[in-house]
Amino acid sequence: MSRIRDFGCVLALALGSLGLSAAAAAQDPSLDVIARGKYLATMGDCTGCHTAEGGKMFAGGQYMAMPFGELSVPNITPDKKTGIGDYTDATFIRLMQRGITDKGVYIYPAMPYAWYATVPKKDLLAIKAYLFSLQPVVAPRQPSKIWFPFNFRPAIALWDALFVPTQEFKPDPKQSDQVNRGAFIVGGLEHCGECHNHRNFLGNTALAQNVLGGAITRWYAPNIRPDNLTGIGPYSVDDLTEFFKKGHSKAMGTVAGPMMETIDDSMQYLDIADLRAVSAYLKSLPPTPSYAPEDATYRPVAMADGHDVYLSHCAACHQANGQGISEQIPALDGNGMVRATGPQDVVRVILGGLEARGPYAAMPGVGAAMSDSEIASVSNYVRQAWSNRAPANTGKLLVSLLREDTHTLLDGSRPGGCPTLADKDLQTVLDDPSNGVATLLHETTEANLLQSANSIIAKVKSAAPQIKQADIVNGLATAYCPVVATMPGLNPDQRVWQLTHFMERVYVQLTTNGTY
């Protein structure tokens, strides 16, 4: 994954942070242009699509789900045969602003060139300079799986003529420099409306209502206008900035879904000034609601059924009043994800759970053991309980569809089984036999869980005190997963319970000892 760091003023440090060879450094463009290009490429979240899990950066290799098939993601390293090495400045700008390759082929607007069309050419050429400074990777593009007639690419020219802007961004003289900077980021490289806008029947978002919320990959991106009921009205610029930087805040709780990837791959690496600009711009928009309270039809029968399910499965953590526990368990009352027009996020979190983040605990995938009817009723309940007035529009069919599409470590249905541990520091600790952490993990059972968790945490903190709380919780759960998978005599539900119980115990011990 692409990661922005301080570029430094020493040449050797600059070369190291950029991943450049000495030969690349000796060539034009200058290092500062390449550094700016790296920052802008991160702002555009290029790695989120063009880097496959476990693959080489920007070498493509994964598929993107679309309503009419699967689109393979191309290699954008400077390899001349399989990447973009033959692109000139002119053809690169045409690709980014018009969606046409150097061979004259129209690309699908899954690449957000309709948003990049507003980005100044000098910024796009800085991105090109950065990409061309990287080592070429030979990675032929896999064939796409697009259904007929959508695989007839010349028809995309009509879509482009209707929806792709023809002018680059121009500041609004009535707005501050900060708000204009935020407008440039939101409406350009960050392409926030690609998720947070409604889509029309042709799949376009740019002409739809600006950031009023929209469905995306079976999640729902909520309204991020400053409406008090359905948007970000209750949150300050400081709240939003912290959320964009960390993926959590005391006021807003924790992130979920595709926004998690956006923060992890892109927004957390942006300058605070840019994140504040994004926040200030969003707060400057008219506070348009995405639905009116009267549209949220109150359903007393569904509320009664949902209340009982909530007390059985949710209230122990989120509390009967929906207030959660400050900076441990997110509140559901007033939660932007809960109040969104679409219930997809609530259902998917119930089904698949959430990893720990910052000071917040992991949420187990409780829905794995619940019926579709129970999940629908409790979703409708939390969306209308307390001060929430979202539409009670969760049905069993939607839950069934989302269940088929939700597979995580915390619900025990992840494809391929246990994931690979991503935290290198924790992996180093586990690989060192002298500390005994790996042995303790393999010997941990329900009978000795409390004592074992205490010992493991103490050893991890001693060997690698720099590892953050959430990374310890998530990392140890990942490392414990293959141990649980081979425990004799456990059925799938019991394995999930054992793993989540271990995860909860690790979190409780860490927070009790004040290690965050």
Side-chain angles (χ1 to χ4, degrees):
M1 295 294 178
S2 175
R3 296 293 184 256
I4 290 294
R5 301 286 187 239
D6 290 333
F7 297 113
C9 58
V10 180
L11 178 60
L13 290 178
L15 291 175
S17 68
L18 292 171
L20 303 181
S21 65
Q27 299 172 355
D28 286 333
S30 63
L31 277 176
D32 61 331
V33 173
I34 295 172
R36 186 164 64 88
K38 181 174 184 179
Y39 183 80
L40 293 171
T42 302
M43 183 182 289
D45 197 10
C46 302
T47 189
C49 292
H50 290 280
T51 303
E53 183 176 357
K56 294 183 178 180
M57 188 186 301
F58 300 132
Q62 60 184 338
Y63 281 90
M64 180 180 296
M66 301 182 72
F68 42 81
E70 292 184 317
L71 180 68
S72 72
V73 179
N75 176 359
I76 57 170
T77 72
D79 180 63
K80 288 184 174 294
K81 291 185 177 181
T82 65
I84 61 171
D86 280 336
Y87 274 74
T88 65
D89 287 356
T91 55
F92 186 81
I93 288 173
R94 185 175 69 166
L95 173 73
M96 296 291 284
Q97 291 190 332
R98 312 312 306 166
I100 303 173
T101 71
D102 62 334
K103 302 296 192 296
V105 177
Y106 287 89
I107 66 173
Y108 290 96
M111 177 193 167
Y113 58 84
W115 302 91
Y116 298 163
T118 66
V119 179
K121 292 179 177 61
K122 66 177 183 179
D123 288 342
L124 297 177
L125 291 178
I127 293 174
K128 176 178 177 285
Y130 164 62
L131 294 175
F132 273 62
S133 75
L134 303 175
Q135 293 295 325
V137 177
V138 178
R141 185 176 186 178
Q142 300 299 313
S144 292
K145 306 170 185 177
I146 304 299
W147 310 333
F148 178 82
F150 302 102
N151 58 357
F152 183 66
R153 289 184 182 242
I156 300 174
L158 175 60
W159 191 96
D160 292 348
L162 290 172
F163 302 125
V164 179
T166 57
Q167 291 187 336
E168 296 177 1
F169 174 79
K170 292 182 179 180
D172 182 349
K174 298 179 182 179
Q175 296 290 353
S176 67
D177 289 345
Q178 183 185 51
V179 169
N180 275 312
R181 176 65 175 174
F184 163 74
I185 295 171
V186 169
L189 286 171
E190 277 290 355
H191 54 282
C192 302
E194 188 69 15
C195 294
H196 289 276
N197 282 6
H198 294 297
R199 293 180 182 272
N200 62 23
F201 73 100
L202 291 176
N204 175 61
T205 62
L207 297 183
Q209 279 282 15
N210 189 23
V211 296
L212 270 174
I216 178 72
T217 60
R218 293 193 175 181
W219 289 83
Y220 194 90
N223 183 345
I224 49 175
R225 281 176 171 256
D227 177 64
N228 283 329
L229 176 65
T230 67
I232 58 170
Y235 310 123
S236 67
V237 167
D238 288 341
D239 294 333
L240 292 166
T241 301
E242 181 183 12
F243 187 82
F244 293 148
K245 189 70 175 179
K246 300 178 180 178
H248 65 84
S249 73
K250 185 175 182 179
M252 300 177 67
T254 186
V255 69
M259 188 65 187
M260 184 187 302
E261 298 172 10
T262 299
I263 290 174
D264 288 347
D265 292 342
S266 175
M267 297 192 80
Q268 68 165 319
Y269 300 109
L270 300 190
D271 296 336
I272 289 295
D274 277 345
L275 294 178
R276 290 189 67 83
V278 168
S279 304
Y281 167 68
L282 294 176
K283 292 288 287 185
S284 76
L285 296 173
T288 311
S290 48
Y291 57 83
E294 55 267 25
D295 295 334
T297 305
Y298 186 79
R299 296 166 58 182
V301 175
M303 287 291 287
D305 293 342
H307 179 259
D308 292 341
V309 178
Y310 181 82
L311 292 179
S312 298
H313 294 277
C314 315
C317 293
H318 292 285
Q319 310 300 303
N321 60 6
Q323 293 299 312
I325 302 172
S326 180
E327 295 192 277
Q328 293 185 23
I329 307 294
L332 300 179
D333 183 16
N335 187 297
M337 181 173 69
V338 175
R339 286 182 167 185
T341 302
Q344 292 94 319
D345 297 3
V346 174
V347 173
R348 292 194 71 148
V349 170
I350 292 171
L351 286 167
L354 281 176
E355 290 187 341
R357 186 153 193 129
Y360 289 92
M363 175 176 165
V366 293
M370 296 168 64
S371 69
D372 292 348
S373 178
E374 288 175 321
I375 293 174
S377 63
V378 78
S379 171
N380 288 330
Y381 172 76
V382 299
R383 285 167 56 76
Q384 290 206 321
W386 316 298
S387 66
N388 299 334
R389 287 298 178 267
N393 52 4
T394 313
K396 291 188 292 183
L397 177 59
L398 175 65
V399 176
S400 177
L401 291 172
L402 295 180
R403 189 189 295 274
E404 292 178 1
D405 198 46
T406 304
H407 305 288
T408 70
L409 171 67
L410 294 173
D411 72 359
S413 67
R414 184 182 182 276
C418 300
T420 301
L421 180 59
D423 192 286
K424 294 181 179 179
D425 290 336
L426 184 56
Q427 186 63 63
T428 299
V429 174
L430 293 169
D431 289 340
D432 182 1
S434 67
N435 59 44
V437 174
T439 300
L440 280 170
L441 269 177
H442 280 84
E443 294 175 349
T444 299
T445 64
E446 181 59 26
N448 64 7
L449 182 58
L450 177 60
Q451 180 180 356
S452 182
N454 286 341
S455 298
I456 290 170
I457 292 168
K459 290 178 179 292
V460 169
K461 295 298 293 182
S462 175
Q466 74 277 13
I467 305 179
K468 295 180 179 179
Q469 172 181 296
D471 293 332
I472 293 177
V473 175
N474 298 329
L476 286 178
T478 299
Y480 189 50
C481 177
V483 177
V484 175
T486 57
M487 283 183 175
L490 298 184
N491 62 39
D493 289 342
Q494 290 171 327
R495 296 187 195 283
V496 172
W497 187 90
Q498 178 67 24
L499 181 63
T500 55
H501 192 199
F502 171 80
M503 207 172 186
E504 292 167 2
R505 177 49 54 190
V506 169
Y507 175 82
V508 168
Q509 292 305 117
L510 284 168
T511 51
T512 300
N513 295 330
T515 57
Y516 175 67

